């Protein structure tokens, strides 16, 4: 089956969401300035592992993805090559480093750590395997400094995207964040919004939930909010070449959001006159979604219906979401029963059209 | 083609409207900066009395945060779901080709020409007989129904 897939795709799969991990804070020491290296040591900051996928939680890591007992899944290049790049005959894999940089309240420290993580990504990953690409980690606490970081590393061909986390301090459409989009657009980078982020606001607009499952399932709402904000505030009018990729957002909610958004735009568009066409059209042109974790309808044909209702077969990008555990057999990452053309689009064509490989 | 006298000119001031009934249809007659326009009082969306809506301007933009406000008094907003229609053409903002309201020709005629008309093409509008004593020196708003 894995071989089948490789034959099917020939040019190789593009995996748009793979996670590598900073093994420990010490791994970043070589990339920190002396002042901040000592700061981190003296404050005994051992890790900024954000715990979005708590250890021991069954979604968190596929069995066998720990490089050694106790080591973080995704922290070893060799294992990642063997478990993702080779079996999938991956042409490109886009790495997303989920590290707690965006959660730190001291923006100077956050900016330093973002730099360190990016330099670490270049040295330890991008320069070691030409199939790897990565997202630039930015201190989104301060969008101007985030833009500076994009300018610092944006020309490196290994970076194809800027990483933001879906839980933000303000809705991402706000002009406050525009320096990030301006810089991303300038270098032809997409903006990838990934699940996660901790800002002090509850994931649910109604208050704090009690359980991990509530937090996990509610993420779709946060993505919807960001999407509504990005379109309404006119980000894609201001930055017409910008594309936003939503990662781990799910996408089966997209048709109903499009319908609701379009319907209300017809009556309320005077508030946002720069949105001069249906919001669903803007979404089709500018928003993409990674495949896994998939909201899996009970029958494959329902999924096809959803894609039909999205009104575009160009919005979905293949992702394994390695090492997170959402499906058992590797080939199940791609849902069964898709027409061959659509499979090709999801597996690599759509990604090629969006990212600057 | 039939013509209906629906109002005296000074009865509908600029920015105002009058809703009349002609041949069983409800029609709004609007004075936009001194010119008259007639449009069916029925929204193509869900049938609201469109002509009871707010008349406003046209808001557009080239860039977020920038507002271009034009055509004041020419854009009619449905009272139910706020779809916008051009009073002059009946076209909707978001789907001008398909979502539109019927418009009718409205014109101003002098009482003299109405009275002097010997009956050709001039039907008695609902108000001609009851309401309007057409006076030679006054002007009237006339709606033309094809
Ligand atoms: S009835 Fe007019 S907009 Fe809905």
């Amino acid at each position: 089956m894995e071989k089948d897939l490789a034959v099917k795709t020939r040019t190789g799969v593009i995996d748009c969401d793979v996670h590598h991990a900073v093994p420990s804070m010490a791994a970043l020491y070589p990339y920190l300035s002396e002042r901040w290296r000592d700061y981190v040591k003296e404050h005994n900051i051992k890790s900024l592992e954000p715990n979005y996928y708590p250890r021991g939680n069954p979604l968190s890591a596929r069995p066998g993805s720990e490089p050694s007992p106790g080591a973080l899944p995704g922290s070893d290049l060799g294992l990642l090559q063997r478990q993702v790049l080779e079996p999938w005959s991956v042409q490109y894999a886009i790495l997303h480093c989920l590290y707690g940089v965006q959660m730190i309240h001291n923006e100077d420290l956050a900016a330093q750590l973002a730099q360190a993580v990016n330099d670490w990504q270049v040295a330890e990953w991008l320069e070691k395997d030409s199939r790897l690409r990565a997202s630039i980690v930015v201190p989104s606490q301060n969008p101007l400094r985030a833009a500076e970081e994009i300018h610092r590393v944006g020309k490196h061909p290994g970076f194809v995207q800027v990483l933001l986390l879906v839980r933000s301090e303000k809705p991402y459409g706000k002009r406050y964040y525009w320096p990030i989009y301006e810089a991303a657009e300038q270098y032809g980078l997409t903006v990838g919004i990934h699940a996660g982020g901790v800002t002090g606001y509850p994931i649910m607009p109604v208050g704090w939930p009690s359980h991990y499952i509530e937090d996990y399932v509610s993420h779709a709402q946060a993505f919807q909010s960001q999407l509504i904000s990005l379109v309404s505030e006119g980000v894609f009018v201001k930055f017409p070449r910008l594309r936003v990729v939503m990662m781990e957002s799910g996408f089966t909610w997209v048709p109903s959001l499009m319908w609701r958004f379009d319907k209300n735009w017809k009556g309320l568009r005077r508030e946002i006159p720069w949105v001069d066409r249906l919001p669903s059209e803007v979404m089709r042109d500018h928003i993409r979604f990674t495949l896994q974790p998939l909201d899996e309808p009970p029958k494959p044909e329902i999924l096809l219906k959803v894609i039909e209702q999205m009104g575009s077969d160009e919005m979905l990008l293949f992702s394994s979401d390695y090492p997170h555990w959402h499906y058992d057999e590797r080939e199940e990452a791609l849902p069964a029963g898709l027409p061959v053309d659509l499979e090709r689009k999801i597996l690599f064509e759509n990604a090629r059209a969006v990212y600057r490989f | 083609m039939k013509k209906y006298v629906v109002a005296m000119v000074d009865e509908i001031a600029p920015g105002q409207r009058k809703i009349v009934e002609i041949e069983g249809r409800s029609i709004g007659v609007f004075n936009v900066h001194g010119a008259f326009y007639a449009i069916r009082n029925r929204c193509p969306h869900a049938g609201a009395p469109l002509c009871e809506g707010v008349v406003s301007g046209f808001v557009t933009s080239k860039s977020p945060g920038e507002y271009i406000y034009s055509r004041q008094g020419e854009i009619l907003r449905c009272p139910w779901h706020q779809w916008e229609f051009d009073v002059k053409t009946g076209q909707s903002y978001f789907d001008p080709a398909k979502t539109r309201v019927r418009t009718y020709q409205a014109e101003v005629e002098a009482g003299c020409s109405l009275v002097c008309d010997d009956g050709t093409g001039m039907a008695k509008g609902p108000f001609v007989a009851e309401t309007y004593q057409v006076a030679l020196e006054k002007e009237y708003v006339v709606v033309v129904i094809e």
Side-chain angles (χ1 to χ4, degrees):
Chain A
M1 180 71 188
E2 285 165 13
K3 283 221 178 66
D4 276 7
L5 214 46
V7 171
K8 227 184 268 179
T9 62
R10 255 181 238 117
T11 34
V13 167
I14 298 178
D15 189 338
C16 299
D17 187 25
V18 172
H19 296 285
H20 57 336
V22 177
S24 72
M25 187 54 86
L28 295 182
Y29 289 168
Y31 308 99
L32 285 167
S33 69
E34 282 173 11
R35 184 267 187 276
W36 289 107
R37 191 186 315 147
D38 283 354
Y39 179 97
V40 166
K41 282 185 187 167
E42 288 162 20
H43 287 75
N44 203 21
I45 303 172
K46 293 227 167 65
S47 170
L48 291 173
E49 181 56 34
N51 223 24
Y52 301 144
Y53 281 94
R55 298 200 125 194
N57 181 299
L59 296 179
S60 295
R62 308 182 62 77
S65 59
E66 284 186 2
S68 57
L72 284 172
S75 60
D76 182 79
L77 174 63
L79 192 62
L80 190 136
Q81 286 166 328
R82 285 195 299 284
Q83 295 194 328
V84 185
L85 305 187
E86 282 148 25
W88 279 104
S89 66
V90 163
Q91 186 185 8
Y92 299 116
I94 306 174
L95 299 171
H96 298 106
C97 185
L98 300 181
Y99 209 46
V101 172
Q102 301 88 343
M103 289 147 49
I104 298 168
H105 290 286
N106 178 341
E107 66 179 53
D108 296 329
L109 175 59
Q112 265 293 313
L113 281 164
Q115 282 189 20
V117 169
N118 290 329
D119 292 344
W120 169 84
Q121 296 198 88
V122 169
E124 313 273 336
W125 298 84
L126 300 178
E127 282 174 3
K128 290 192 173 159
D129 192 317
S130 62
R131 293 169 290 186
L132 296 177
R133 295 292 182 275
S135 283
I136 302 172
V137 170
V138 293
S140 48
Q141 296 90 332
N142 181 330
L144 290 173
R145 299 185 77 164
E148 276 170 28
E149 182 61 7
I150 297 169
H151 289 299
R152 192 181 72 88
V153 295
K155 287 206 182 86
H156 192 289
F159 289 116
V160 294
Q161 181 161 268
V162 174
L163 178 65
L164 293 178
L165 300 177
V166 72
R167 298 178 68 174
S168 57
E169 283 176 64
K170 299 172 193 284
Y172 277 140
K174 295 254 181 201
R175 292 171 208 171
Y176 174 76
Y177 288 110
W178 287 11
I180 296 176
Y181 308 137
E182 187 179 9
E185 191 189 46
Q186 183 183 331
Y187 296 99
L189 300 161
T190 53
V191 167
I193 302 182
H194 195 281
V198 174
T199 54
Y201 300 131
I203 182 80
M204 293 177 165
V206 293
W208 291 98
S210 309
H211 308 100
Y212 182 74
I213 183 172
E214 296 173 83
D215 185 281
Y216 196 84
V217 175
S218 295
H219 259 80
Q221 294 175 29
F223 281 99
Q224 290 168 28
S225 305
Q226 300 292 15
L227 199 158
I228 294 165
S229 171
L230 287 164
V231 173
S232 301
E233 298 274 6
V235 168
F236 303 113
V237 178
K238 187 75 183 173
F239 306 105
R241 289 177 293 127
L242 186 71
R243 309 277 182 90
V244 168
V245 180
M246 305 205 136
M247 296 178 286
E248 300 195 26
S249 55
F251 59 88
T252 54
W253 46 264
V254 172
S256 59
L257 179 68
M258 284 177 164
W259 300 331
R260 191 180 178 94
F261 208 170
D262 283 358
K263 175 177 169 170
N264 291 297
W265 173 84
K266 288 177 186 170
L268 299 173
R269 67 106 214 149
R270 293 166 64 87
E271 281 189 298
I272 49 168
W274 40 86
V275 181
D276 58 1
R277 56 194 181 126
L278 291 169
S280 61
E281 289 176 23
V282 179
M283 287 165 66
R284 282 184 206 105
D285 286 349
H286 292 278
I287 311 278
R288 299 292 179 267
F289 300 91
T290 60
L291 191 65
Q292 289 290 348
L294 180 70
D295 306 333
E296 216 158 332
K299 292 187 204 148
E301 54 269 30
I302 300 178
L303 191 66
L304 277 175
K305 262 263 152 342
V306 171
I307 297 171
E308 186 193 323
Q309 289 166 346
M310 289 167 84
S312 167
D313 54 8
E314 291 172 5
M315 297 179 85
L316 300 180
L317 310 176
F318 176 75
S319 66
S320 65
D321 191 25
Y322 177 90
H324 306 143
W325 194 12
H326 306 296
Y327 43 89
D328 292 328
E329 298 303 326
R330 200 175 276 123
E331 58 270 24
E332 288 170 18
L334 187 72
L338 301 178
V340 178
D341 280 0
L342 182 58
E343 260 181 7
R344 287 173 59 88
K345 282 191 172 253
I346 293 174
L347 284 169
F348 60 94
E349 284 179 4
N350 290 346
R352 280 181 167 279
V354 168
Y355 292 107
R356 58 156 216 203
F357 290 124
Chain B
M1 187 181 82
K2 288 183 177 174
K3 290 181 173 182
Y4 291 85
V5 177
V6 295
M8 282 191 291
V9 161
D10 47 17
E11 204 181 319
I12 310 174
Q16 301 298 309
R17 79 202 78 180
K18 179 176 180 182
I19 295 171
V20 299
E21 183 107 353
I22 301 176
E23 290 182 1
R25 296 174 205 130
S26 184
I27 292 174
V29 183
F30 293 80
N31 179 340
V32 179
H33 310 307
F36 290 89
Y37 299 89
I39 184 167
R40 184 90 195 258
N41 185 21
R42 190 168 192 285
C43 179
H45 177 219
L50 175 65
C51 297
E52 293 174 13
V54 171
V55 179
S56 183
F58 190 44
V59 191
T60 55
S61 171
K62 291 206 175 68
S63 184
E66 187 187 299
Y67 301 84
I68 303 166
Y69 193 48
S70 64
R71 303 193 57 196
Q72 226 167 327
E74 298 179 23
I75 306 298
L76 176 60
R77 232 152 61 216
C78 178
W80 284 5
H81 315 101
Q82 309 292 317
W83 291 9
E84 295 164 277
F85 296 89
D86 185 331
V87 171
K88 294 183 174 175
T89 64
Q91 290 176 312
S92 65
Y93 166 81
F94 68 89
D95 183 16
K98 283 198 240 113
T99 306
R100 51 195 308 166
V101 200
R102 180 76 201 269
T103 56
Y104 306 92
Q105 201 182 322
E107 47 200 42
V108 172
E109 292 208 20
C112 148
S113 75
L114 295 170
V115 170
C116 297
D117 193 296
D118 58 0
T120 49
M122 173 61 77
K124 285 199 169 216
F127 303 106
V128 171
E130 297 86 356
T131 316
Y132 296 99
Q133 291 298 325
V134 173
L136 293 180
E137 69 283 7
K138 294 241 157 136
E139 288 193 308
Y140 295 88
V141 183
V142 171
V143 171
V144 182
I145 305 286
E146 303 281 337

